[in-house]
Amino acid sequence: MSLVPFHELPGQSRLWVFPASRPLSPEEGTRLLTGVDRFLEEWDAHGSPLRAAREWREGSFLLVAVDEASAPPSGCSVDALANLLKKLGEGIGAEFLDHAPVWYREGTGVRKVSREAFRAMAGKGTVTLDTPVFDHTITRLGHLRDGGWEKPAGASWHRRAFFPSG
């Protein structure tokens, strides 16, 4: 079996963050995770089982990690994961492969807006360099654990993209 608890993977594990196009209900989240778990239990690269894990956070983010030290994922195995998420998303009316929107925290909730809308909000001061944002470009589990996924906009790529004078 290649599916392990998320906390058991080492920090250098490869990480993918898949934001849902909308928050999922608890039932939809369960359906998603059931499908992902089935896939990860059998996930392999060229016949070598991949030691992988997943987490579901904030009702909107699927995190998948694989221990590359045990067996590295191949392009085909990553494509298979993407195809699975496309299929599961179609079944629940959500998309998981669009990384263009900006995700940020507002109070205790999570919001998603277009890059243009976030830029306009930055210009008006509605969001600031202190606004917590989610950086889906991180690729290592250790970065997630070290706070590299959710951090102030001023400490992420969002600073350069949306706050050029900041």
Side-chain angles (χ1 to χ4, degrees):
M1 180 167 99
S2 57
L3 179 61
V4 299
F6 206 73
H7 70 273
E8 287 186 12
L9 291 181
Q12 70 268 21
S13 296
R14 176 67 166 90
L15 174 71
W16 293 270
V17 179
F18 299 102
S21 57
R22 62 174 180 78
L24 301 187
S25 70
E27 295 79 20
E28 290 169 327
T30 297
R31 283 180 47 202
L32 170 71
L33 294 179
T34 298
V36 169
D37 287 352
R38 275 193 217 118
F39 175 83
L40 294 180
E41 286 171 358
E42 303 296 324
W43 199 22
D44 69 42
H46 305 293
S48 296
L50 296 175
R51 188 167 178 252
R54 58 83 180 153
E55 272 196 0
W56 180 241
R57 294 195 179 176
E58 306 282 343
S60 296
F61 305 109
L62 175 65
L63 310 175
V64 176
V66 63
D67 180 3
E68 292 179 307
S70 64
S74 64
C76 293
S77 64
V78 175
D79 287 347
L81 174 61
N83 289 335
L84 170 79
L85 293 176
K86 183 175 187 212
K87 181 180 177 184
L88 291 173
E90 288 170 355
I92 57 177
E95 187 178 329
F96 296 94
L97 303 174
D98 182 7
H99 287 80
V102 175
W103 290 85
Y104 67 99
R105 188 169 297 284
E106 186 175 76
T108 59
V110 174
R111 296 220 32 222
K112 174 189 88 162
V113 296
S114 70
R115 289 178 184 231
E116 295 78 19
F118 195 82
R119 185 171 288 108
M121 292 166 66
K124 293 177 185 174
T126 307
V127 293
T128 69
L129 293 172
D130 294 325
T131 299
V133 294
F134 294 89
D135 182 358
H136 303 310
T137 66
I138 63 171
T139 60
R140 296 289 162 205
L141 187 53
H143 294 149
L144 175 81
R145 291 176 178 155
D146 293 340
W149 177 49
E150 183 181 355
K151 57 188 167 186
S156 106
W157 64 266
H158 297 76
R159 179 185 194 115
R160 292 183 313 277
F162 303 108
F163 303 92
S165 61

